[in-house]
């Protein structure tokens, strides 16, 4: 059975005329609609948070495999999340403006990623949008002049600090429609030197995601504000013929700004090419980006494998893995460029199953990309070439379940025509261009487990701005844990920097960050904490789940300590599914039980009041996990103990908050080790942290 999603197969069966031959005309004079590129999203949280921690040359190798032309994926467009401190599926990324008066253009790694991508491909187009935003924005209202100014400040930093320009910008990821904000943002950018940026909207995914287009026809101000009509997952619900007609009448292209191909192995690769083709054939979408490309994150996070091109879970070892998906992008990226044009009549469903798209360069070169995921047998396609297209021979590259991106013998047109035999369950790229290659690097280091024991005093990052203020190996799931000066003036430490809850893309909870190995079982994790009045913070252990991408309450254990001296052992029981049917009595009972355990499914296992607790000083918290025995120590003394049977293994973490209070706690001297380890046990030897920004 061909590797194809059931829904996709159902859509394509009407076209599957087994074994039928077909003739397709490639006429250069029919090149009309502009091709705006194929690519990937880096964002929706910290999808690439561990990439910055890779040693060279492996860090550059991964970037080359994604962005270098005619080498690997060779994507032609990149869409990034404009960070906003809040969870956005795969964790969070730090904002350039934690507060209204704050502004820092060295925070985080998105600037660095954009620089690296653009250095490799000067023709790469850059796009971006926000998922979350700091809580001060609009006094809690995203669609506000504050948010327009927030975007403006980010663009000014990108231009002034890094010499980069965005080509396009969205309004917000998957959070509805605001005509008023579209006009505010357009006016703000126009008035401040960014009139060249194209604005797209509204990047929703529901069945009615394109309904706003019908209102634009009678709304001149909106038509002038929205340059591109964009939405997500046209593979699921395509743009209707009516929407495509309105788009053509208004002279506005259609973009798919987040496609999803959550499939394993070669199914993912051929699914990517199918969706690139199908997005244009059925929806008229001229730019398609998939979420997401580089899985440089911890594998316990949701969607940590199947969408990605490269798995980069192991920065401490330099190991990474290329997935088949990367070569799906290459079948487009190495044969096309932004600014080419689709050939009318040559982009269609194949009669024997599958799809084909043809594009023409500004000169006479052309490329044909075909996939046969739904074919039940081989089919022979005859192409007739005319309209000023090149008469040069065509290179032919193929992928199938057995081999990826292999060059076959060239095909030379005879009397302006050539034929191709397309095998089922295969991808083909044919082109008059040359220079393609299956890029690779020798001797990728072997994978190793996370270094254990592990310690970080946070003094090694000098100055912190060179590292984006982020320590190695931590992955923020919500809010921002950054390298900061110690409150006692004696060096550096880690601090949670977000003062109030964010306008989070996902249902909100507490700020926390994770680190380590999900297979750790019996160990201890400790950190010094410094609290302000009313604050709570803690250490976490055996974290084995951080939510499914929508909501981020973890599963694991925590030791929480409050400024008033209250100490708690807590079981974090995971997020509550708000979509459980009311008729499902068993699930409703579980939800009710979770709610009774406290906000977010927390269960207090034990608690105690600690004498002598004080703000304005360091306290040492240690969480010991041995079998089902869980012990919490404060300043070296056992304070709380409980039995925990829920989670036998998991990662470590730090949390800034407890109950319903957000905290800006300080953390120092993070240490993770065996239960019998002394406080000063030598650490294992991970590579030193790698700067991502030059000294200023």
């Amino acid at each position: 059975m061909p590797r194809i999603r059931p829904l996709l197969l159902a859509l394509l069966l009407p076209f599957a005329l087994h074994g039928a031959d077909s003739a397709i005309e490639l006429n250069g004079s029919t090149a009309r609609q502009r091709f705006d590129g194929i690519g990937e999203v880096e964002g929706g949280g910290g999808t690439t948070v561990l990439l910055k921690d890779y040693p060279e040359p492996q860090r550059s190798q991964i970037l080359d495999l994604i962005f270098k032309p005619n080498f690997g994926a060779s994507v032609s467009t990149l869409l990034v999340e404009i960070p906003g401190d809040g969870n956005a599926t795969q964790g969070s990324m730090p904002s350039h403006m934690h507060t209204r008066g704050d502004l820092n253009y060295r925070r985080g790694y998105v600037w660095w990623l954009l620089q690296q991508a653009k250095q490799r491909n000067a023709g790469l187009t850059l796009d971006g949008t926000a998922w979350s935003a700091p809580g001060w924005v609009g006094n809690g209202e995203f669609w506000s002049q504050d948010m327009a100014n927030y975007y403006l400040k980010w663009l000014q930093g990108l231009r002034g600090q890094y010499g980069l320009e965005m080509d396009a910008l969205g309004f917000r990821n998957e959070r509805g429609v605001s005509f008023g904000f579209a006009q505010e943002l357009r006016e703000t950018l126009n008035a401040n030197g960014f009139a060249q940026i194209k604005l797209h909207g509204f990047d929703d995914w529901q069945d009615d995601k394109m309904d706003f287009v019908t209102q634009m026809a009678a709304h001149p101000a909106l038509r002038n504000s929205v340059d591109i009509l964009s939405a997500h997952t046209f593979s699921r619900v395509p743009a209707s013929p009516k929407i495509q007609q309105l788009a053509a009448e208004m002279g506005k292209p259609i973009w798919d700004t987040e496609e999803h191909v959550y499939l394993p192995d070669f199914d993912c690769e051929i699914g990517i090419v199918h969706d690139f083709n199908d997005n244009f054939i059925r929806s008229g979408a001229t730019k398609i980006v998939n979420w997401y490309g580089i899985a440089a994150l911890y594998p316990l996070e949701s969607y940590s494998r199947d969408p990605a091109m490269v798995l980069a879970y192991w920065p401490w070892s330099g190991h990474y893995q290329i997935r088949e998906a990367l070569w799906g992008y290459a079948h487009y990226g190495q044969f096309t460029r932004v600014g080419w044009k689709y050939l009318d009549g040559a982009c269609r469903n194949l009669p024997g199953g599958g799809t084909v798209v043809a594009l023409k360069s500004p000169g006479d070169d052309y490329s044909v990309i075909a996939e046969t995921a739904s074919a039940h047998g081989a089919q022979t396609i005859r192409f007739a070439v005319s309209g000023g297209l090149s008469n040069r021979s065509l290179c032919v590259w193929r992928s199938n379940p057995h081999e990826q991106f292999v060059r076959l013998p060239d095909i030379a047109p005879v009397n302006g025509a050539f034929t191709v035999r397309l095998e089922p369950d295969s991808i083909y790229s044919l082109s008059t261009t040359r220079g393609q290659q299956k890029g690779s690097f020798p001797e990728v280091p072997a994978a190793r487990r996370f270094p254990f024991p592990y310690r970080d005093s946070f003094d090694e990052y000098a100055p912190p701005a060179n590292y984006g203020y982020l320590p190695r190996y931590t992955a923020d799931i919500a809010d921002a844990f950054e390298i900061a000066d110690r409150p006692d003036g004696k060096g550096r430490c880690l601090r949670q920097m977000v003062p109030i809850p964010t306008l989070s893309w996902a249902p909100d909870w507490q700020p926390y960050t994770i680190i380590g190995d999900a297979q750790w079982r019996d160990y201890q994790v400790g950190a010094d904490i410094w609290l302000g009045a009313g604050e709570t913070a803690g250490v976490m252990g055996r974290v084995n789940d951080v939510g499914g991408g929508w909501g981020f309450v973890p599963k694991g254990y925590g030791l929480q300590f409050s400024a008033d001296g209250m100490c708690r052992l807590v079981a974090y029981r995971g997020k509550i599914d708000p979509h459980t049917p009311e008729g499902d009595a068993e699930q409703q009972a579980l939800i009710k039980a979770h709610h009774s355990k406290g906000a977010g499914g927390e269960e207090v296992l034990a608690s105690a009041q600690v004498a002598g607790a004080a703000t304005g000083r360091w306290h040492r918290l240690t969480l010991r996990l041995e079998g089902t025995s869980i012990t919490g120590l404060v300043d070296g003394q056992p304070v709380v103990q409980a039995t925990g049977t829920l989670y036998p293994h998991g990662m470590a973490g730090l949390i800034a908050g407890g109950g319903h209070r957000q905290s800006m706690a300080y953390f120092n001297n993070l240490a993770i080790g065996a239960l019998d380890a002394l406080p000063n046990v030598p650490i294992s030897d991970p590579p030193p942290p790698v700067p991502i920004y030059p000294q200023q």
Side-chain angles (χ1 to χ4, degrees):
M1 180 66 181
R3 292 169 170 81
I4 191 72
R5 287 162 285 180
L7 174 61
L8 177 58
L9 182 60
L11 291 169
L12 294 180
L13 277 176
F15 302 98
L17 307 177
H18 176 68
D21 291 349
S22 178
I24 296 176
E25 184 176 2
L26 303 173
N27 186 339
S29 65
T30 67
R32 293 187 178 88
Q33 285 187 268
R34 184 179 188 269
F35 172 66
D36 296 315
I38 58 94
E40 48 109 9
V41 179
E42 288 303 341
T47 53
T48 51
V49 65
L50 297 181
L51 181 61
K52 63 179 173 44
D53 301 322
Y54 264 78
E56 293 293 354
Q58 287 79 31
R59 188 167 73 178
S60 289
Q61 291 172 0
I62 294 168
L63 290 163
D64 284 349
L65 284 163
I66 304 299
F67 299 111
K68 185 178 177 180
N70 284 356
F71 185 75
S74 303
V75 297
S76 49
T77 188
L78 169 65
L79 190 153
V80 298
E81 177 186 350
I82 296 177
D85 287 335
N87 182 278
T89 306
Q90 305 293 63
S92 59
M93 295 190 291
S95 165
H96 58 295
M97 297 179 73
H98 291 317
T99 65
R100 190 181 299 274
D102 172 48
L103 188 62
N104 191 321
Y105 292 141
R106 303 263 282 184
R107 192 179 286 144
Y109 56 86
V110 172
W111 323 97
W112 167 78
L113 180 64
L114 288 167
Q115 275 190 312
Q116 294 295 313
K118 196 71 171 179
Q119 285 173 10
R120 285 164 171 77
N121 181 2
L124 184 77
T125 63
L126 303 181
D127 194 351
T129 195
W131 272 246
S132 300
W136 63 265
V137 168
N139 294 318
E141 175 53 56
F142 186 98
W143 305 119
S144 61
Q145 184 61 51
D146 270 352
M147 191 63 204
N149 294 338
Y150 183 85
Y151 275 132
L152 174 64
K153 289 294 186 183
W154 191 86
L155 294 167
Q156 289 172 336
L158 187 67
R159 173 185 285 176
Q161 188 89 12
Y162 303 101
L164 296 177
E165 301 286 340
M166 297 298 283
D167 297 283
L169 197 68
F171 300 115
R172 190 183 188 186
N173 182 78
E174 296 182 343
R175 282 297 170 270
V177 173
S178 173
F179 294 167
F181 180 74
Q183 293 168 229
E184 280 183 320
L185 182 58
R186 180 76 277 165
E187 292 168 1
T188 299
L189 298 187
N190 289 353
N192 289 277
F194 291 94
Q196 85 286 355
I197 293 179
K198 302 294 185 183
L199 297 182
H200 60 78
F202 278 88
D203 301 320
D204 281 315
W205 60 271
Q206 301 89 338
D207 291 357
D208 61 354
K209 60 195 174 188
M210 298 296 282
D211 285 3
F212 71 91
V213 177
T214 59
Q215 298 171 270
M216 290 181 67
H219 202 304
L222 182 61
R223 289 202 310 273
N224 293 334
S225 300
V226 181
D227 302 291
I228 297 127
L229 311 179
S230 61
H232 294 177
T233 58
F234 285 132
S235 63
R236 189 181 68 87
V237 179
S240 68
K242 178 183 177 181
I243 294 298
Q244 294 183 56
Q245 180 181 349
L246 288 172
E249 291 172 355
M250 291 186 288
K252 298 186 184 298
I254 296 173
W255 288 359
D256 187 336
T257 47
E258 190 178 308
E259 192 54 78
H260 297 165
V261 187
Y262 302 141
L263 294 170
D265 307 325
F266 179 71
D267 289 358
C268 192
E269 179 182 355
I270 198 168
I272 286 167
V273 177
H274 168 80
D275 283 357
F276 286 164
N277 283 2
D278 185 66
N279 260 265
F280 180 73
I281 293 168
R282 288 204 294 159
S283 296
T286 58
K287 171 176 162 176
I288 308 100
V289 295
N290 290 325
W291 185 81
Y292 60 101
I294 306 173
L297 73 176
Y298 286 110
L300 65 73
E301 297 186 50
S302 57
Y303 310 106
S304 61
R305 180 180 178 88
D306 285 343
M309 290 182 260
V310 176
L311 305 181
Y313 306 151
W314 310 272
W316 42 87
S317 67
H319 181 71
Y320 61 88
Q321 295 177 6
I322 300 171
R323 291 189 67 234
E324 293 91 338
L326 185 140
W327 304 113
Y329 291 86
H331 271 285
Y332 253 86
Q334 295 203 33
F335 301 90
T336 61
R337 296 290 184 270
V338 171
W340 285 34
K341 292 185 177 180
Y342 292 92
L343 297 181
D344 283 359
C347 305
R348 60 170 75 170
N349 292 287
L350 291 169
T355 59
V356 63
V357 159
L359 300 108
K360 174 187 176 298
S361 76
D364 63 358
D365 280 317
Y366 64 95
S367 295
V368 177
I369 299 104
E371 57 79 24
T372 56
S374 62
H376 293 278
Q379 53 190 311
T380 300
I381 309 297
R382 182 179 185 275
F383 292 92
V385 184
S386 63
L389 295 178
S390 172
N391 60 7
R392 292 186 292 275
S393 63
L394 293 96
C395 63
V396 182
W397 292 73
R398 183 190 67 194
S399 293
N400 60 33
H402 311 293
E403 55 183 8
Q404 312 304 310
F405 208 64
V406 174
R407 186 168 182 177
L408 304 181
D410 291 358
I411 294 176
V414 177
N415 297 323
F418 63 92
T419 60
V420 180
R421 178 182 169 86
L422 303 179
E423 298 292 335
D425 213 14
S426 300
I427 308 166
Y428 294 87
S429 294
L430 299 79
S431 182
T432 57
T433 64
R434 293 295 186 270
Q436 296 83 7
Q437 62 176 309
K438 186 176 183 179
S440 64
F441 296 97
E443 299 180 1
V444 175
R448 297 198 308 270
R449 301 289 292 271
F450 189 96
F452 185 91
Y454 183 78
R455 301 178 75 184
D456 199 336
S457 68
F458 308 108
D459 283 324
E460 198 173 356
Y461 309 90
N466 290 9
Y467 302 85
Y469 297 90
L470 301 178
R472 62 185 175 188
Y473 308 156
T474 58
D476 296 349
I477 303 302
D479 298 45
F481 290 74
E482 300 173 13
I483 301 164
D485 291 335
R486 284 174 48 145
D488 56 10
K490 297 180 180 180
R492 297 186 182 89
C493 64
L494 197 66
R495 189 185 189 192
Q496 198 292 109
M497 297 296 294
V498 179
I500 61 174
T502 65
L503 305 181
S504 179
W505 179 85
D508 209 2
W509 193 63
Q510 302 292 337
Y512 71 100
T513 190
I514 59 173
I515 186 171
D517 189 324
Q519 298 308 309
W520 285 344
R521 301 182 73 88
D522 291 354
Y523 64 96
Q524 61 181 340
V525 52
D528 301 334
I529 65 166
W530 181 297
L531 300 172
E535 291 189 331
T536 298
V539 293
M540 306 169 74
R542 290 187 184 167
V543 177
N544 61 76
D545 183 72
V546 293
W550 175 249
F552 51 91
V553 181
K555 293 180 180 178
Y557 298 110
L559 174 64
Q560 296 178 351
F561 188 67
S562 299
D564 62 4
M566 178 57 67
C567 185
R568 299 178 181 87
L569 275 180
V570 179
Y572 305 115
R573 300 175 66 92
K575 67 178 185 177
I576 299 168
D577 185 358
H579 304 298
T580 301
E582 292 185 6
D584 190 331
E586 182 179 357
Q587 288 299 310
Q588 288 297 321
L590 287 173
I591 288 174
K592 184 177 180 180
H594 270 197
H595 276 295
S596 70
K597 306 286 187 188
E602 296 179 39
E603 178 184 0
V604 177
L605 302 178
S607 63
Q609 187 72 37
V610 177
T615 60
R617 56 162 287 193
W618 292 106
H619 289 283
R620 183 72 182 175
L621 299 189
T622 303
L623 178 64
R624 292 174 55 88
L625 304 147
E626 183 175 13
T628 61
S629 177
I630 307 171
T631 305
L633 296 83
V634 178
D635 296 327
Q637 298 301 312
V639 173
V640 283
Q641 195 278 332
T643 298
T645 59
L646 291 172
Y647 312 117
H649 56 81
M651 299 174 64
L654 302 171
I655 185 167
H660 299 280
R661 171 67 191 269
Q662 180 135 331
S663 300
M664 295 182 68
Y666 297 87
F667 302 85
N668 204 10
N669 297 315
L670 172 67
I672 307 163
L675 292 169
D676 58 354
L678 297 174
N680 296 320
V681 66
I683 64 170
S684 54
D685 190 25
V690 183
I692 57 176
Y693 299 115
Q695 182 78 41
Q696 283 192 334

